[in-house]
Amino acid sequence: MYFKSWSLVALFILAVAVHAFDFHSDEAAACATKHWDEIREIANPKISMVDDILPKAGAERVRALLDGKSQLPKDPPPRDWLGKAADTIPEGLMKMFGKDIIEKCVNEMKH
């Protein structure tokens, strides 16, 4: 329990330190679709850690987002799913689930 409390504090600090990224944008959705296999490869092994990292209510919201499954869907989900994920999963944790891939792709689109 002690570890879980410190983990939550660390996640909160990380979430505050990481700048906000618009996961609701068309560009983010396009990049998530384009790089879905990479995102799944990074995220799937970490999904089982959600119960250890998030409070019970947060972990339940993540499980609901995944329809109770322990992995991301094989095919990219509908465009609005990424926004729902960003609204459900703290930003600091999104970094563990492929935020960097999406953000890099969006930045490349803009240049």
Side-chain angles (χ1 to χ4, degrees):
M1 187 64 165
Y2 181 77
F3 174 75
K4 190 172 185 177
S5 297
W6 278 108
S7 296
L8 292 174
V9 170
L11 273 175
F12 177 76
I13 292 168
L14 180 62
V16 170
V18 175
H19 67 79
F21 179 76
D22 184 12
F23 285 99
H24 297 273
S25 72
D26 291 336
E27 294 87 358
C31 286
T33 299
K34 179 179 179 181
H35 295 281
W36 189 248
D37 289 337
E38 291 171 74
I39 293 167
R40 286 185 77 239
E41 187 175 315
I42 290 169
N44 281 344
K46 297 174 183 172
I47 289 173
S48 64
M49 298 184 326
V50 168
D51 286 322
D52 297 327
I53 295 172
L54 294 175
K56 184 178 179 181
E60 288 173 357
R61 286 192 300 270
V62 172
R63 280 194 297 280
L65 180 70
L66 297 173
D67 294 325
K69 296 182 174 54
S70 61
Q71 294 192 341
L72 293 176
K74 182 176 175 44
D75 296 320
R79 183 203 177 289
D80 67 328
W81 187 90
L82 183 62
K84 289 178 188 173
D87 292 341
T88 302
I89 302 169
E91 176 129 3
L93 195 55
M94 285 293 282
K95 191 167 182 65
M96 289 177 49
F97 291 98
K99 175 191 174 212
D100 292 344
I101 294 169
I102 298 169
E103 191 170 28
K104 179 181 177 191
C105 174
V106 168
N107 287 335
E108 288 172 355
M109 290 173 88
K110 292 181 179 181
H111 294 21

